[in-house]
């Protein structure tokens, strides 16, 4: 989903099933847990739950539970009276009171302290909160949406999360699929963000991605999911020098460099940039694994061409740097590139 226009982008059944589940749960006045890896869109699902609910015209209040120290999280959630602790010069309502009549989105729910969990349980059970330093509870009408990348039942087993609180919050659990299992969505998202970035840069049109870049995008494991993909695609388009030609260089790690640590051959070591080891993953050289090869010469040719393509992309098509990275002479590299029709 693109937050700029609240439009969901994706076509895989795994993704659409999660969106549909959120849509069905939205009208119900029940707590919902949204589970998924970083960058999968948990906050955007929370917004959908709020906008499609009967509380759509009420406040949507978000708090990242991991962003505040343990000593302040309870005051942030439940508020405090003047003088309740050092620095509390005046009374302040907490996020629960701010969200009255609407939705409270608790991101990184699994990081809450046990003390905060106990107070949260009371708020969920009885619909009331008590400010720190006060003995008078305040009634609140709040729907809770929690998000986490933790497995909360495991945290319960380890004594890090209250079982009774989990029971109260898990009326519905929406698990967002990671990008790597969303079949077809990498291409759809890449085209969307690429086209959008080209427009922002004032390009006359969108040339699309070349074969090498497309293969690199499809083979990357996307630990940062959609958030990472957007950064990678926008960076690739921004750095591309010729808007008339398909974008054909992808760098997954902006900190990666051929000269990192002063090692000239670093490009082929494949640290965070998956382009340099795509061939390794697709054509295994581990003889302990069974490889289904029916034509040895064809398989060898494919492997060699894939290595050349990735080395060229990694070295930004600088042939002398590519030759160095592959431990070839310049003439040897040129001969091999010509053999595979990669000169041009």
């Amino acid at each position: 989903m693109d937050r700029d226009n609240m439009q969901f982008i994706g076509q895989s059944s795994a993704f659409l099933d999660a969106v549909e589940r959120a849509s069905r749960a939205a009208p119900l006045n029940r707590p919902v847990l949204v589970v998924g890896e970083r960058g999968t869109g948990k906050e955007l699902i929370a917004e959908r739950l709020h906008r499609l609910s009967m509380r759509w015209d009420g406040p949507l209040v978000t708090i990242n539970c991991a962003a505040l120290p343990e000593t302040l999280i309870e005051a942030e959630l439940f508020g405090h009276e003047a003088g309740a602790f050092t620095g509390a010069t005046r009374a302040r309502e907490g996020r629960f009171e701010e969200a009255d009549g609407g939705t409270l989105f608790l991101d990184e729910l699994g990081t809450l302290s046990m003390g905060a969990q106990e107070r949260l349980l009371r708020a969920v059970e009885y619909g009331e909160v008590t400010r720190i330093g006060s003995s008078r509870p305040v009634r609140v009408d709040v729907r809770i949406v929690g998000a986490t990348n933790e497995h909360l039942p495991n945290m319960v087993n380890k004594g890090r999360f209250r079982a009774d609180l989990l029971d109260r919050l898990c009326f519905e659990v929406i698990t967002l699929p990671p990008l790597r299992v969303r079949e077809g969505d990498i291409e759809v998202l890449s085209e969307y963000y690429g086209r959008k970035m080209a427009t922002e840069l004032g390009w006359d049109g969108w040339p699309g991605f070349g074969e090498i870049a497309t293969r690199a995008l499809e083979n990357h494991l996307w630990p940062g999911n959609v958030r990472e993909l957007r950064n990678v695609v926008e960076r690739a388009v921004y750095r591309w020098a010729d808007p008339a030609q398909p974008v054909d260089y992808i760098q997954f790690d902006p900190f990666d460099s051929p000269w990192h640590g002063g090692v000239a051959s670093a490009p082929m070591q494949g640290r965070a940039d998956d382009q340099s080891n795509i061939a390794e993953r697709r054509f295994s050289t581990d003889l302990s694994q069974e490889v289904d090869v029916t034509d040895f010469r064809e398989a060898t040719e494919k492997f060699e061409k894939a290595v050349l393509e990735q080395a060229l992309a990694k070295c930004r098509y600088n042939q002398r740097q590519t030759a160095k990275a592959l431990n070839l002479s310049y003439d040897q590299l040129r001969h091999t590139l010509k053999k595979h029709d990669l000169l041009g």
Side-chain angles (χ1 to χ4, degrees), residues 2 26 53 105 251 258 310 315 324 338-339:
D2 179 38
S53 74
F105 175 52
Q251 185 179 32
Q310 305 316 315
C315 297
K324 244 183 222 185
K338 184 176 181 181
K339 170 186 168 185

Side-chain angles (χ1 to χ4, degrees), residues 77-258:
L77 279 172
F78 309 110
H80 60 79
E81 297 293 345
F85 51 84
T86 303
T89 55
R90 58 187 180 86
R92 181 180 181 278
E93 66 178 20
R95 297 299 179 92
F96 262 94
E97 291 179 70
E98 289 179 21
D100 190 31
T103 303
L104 177 62
F105 175 52
L106 301 175
D107 200 6
E108 303 290 350
L109 178 68
T111 64
L112 282 179
S113 67
M114 295 303 285
Q117 289 179 38
E118 183 176 357
R119 293 173 68 98
L120 177 58
L121 175 64
R122 181 174 181 84
V124 174
E125 278 191 328
Y126 301 109
E128 59 184 33
V129 296
T130 303
R131 294 182 184 180
I132 296 175
S134 173
S135 58
R136 181 176 58 86
V138 177
R139 296 289 301 175
V140 288
D141 175 22
V142 173
R143 183 192 195 180
I144 302 291
V145 176
T148 182
N149 57 10
E150 300 272 3
H151 190 265
L152 294 181
N154 283 350
M155 291 184 65
V156 169
N157 293 336
K158 294 175 182 178
R160 293 167 47 206
F161 201 86
R162 294 182 62 110
D164 47 3
L165 177 58
L166 182 58
D167 290 340
R168 297 288 183 182
L169 294 179
C170 68
F171 169 79
E172 177 62 288
V173 178
I174 300 169
T175 302
L176 297 181
L179 183 58
R180 60 184 173 273
V181 304
R182 290 172 51 177
E183 187 175 354
D185 283 357
I186 291 173
E187 179 182 358
V188 171
L189 287 160
S190 298
E191 285 292 316
Y192 175 80
Y193 288 123
R195 189 180 301 275
K196 192 172 181 182
M197 189 63 181
T199 300
E200 184 178 333
L201 293 171
W203 289 9
D204 291 335
W206 166 236
F209 290 101
E211 182 183 344
I212 295 174
T214 299
R215 188 185 307 127
L217 290 167
E218 289 291 342
N219 279 274
H220 188 55
L221 295 179
W222 299 110
N225 293 287
V226 179
R227 186 184 297 123
E228 180 191 5
L229 180 140
R230 180 173 185 169
N231 282 337
V232 167
V233 167
E234 289 182 346
R235 181 167 58 244
V237 176
Y238 150 74
R239 289 180 174 179
W240 192 243
D242 187 356
Q245 296 296 320
V247 177
D248 217 11
Y249 175 74
I250 301 291
Q251 185 179 32
F252 295 100
D253 181 359
F255 295 96
D256 195 20
S257 166

Side-chain angles (χ1 to χ4, degrees), residues 10-27:
Q11 61 185 17
S12 68
S13 58
F15 173 69
L16 294 178
D17 285 349
V19 174
E20 174 61 22
R21 180 170 288 192
S23 300
R24 291 183 62 188

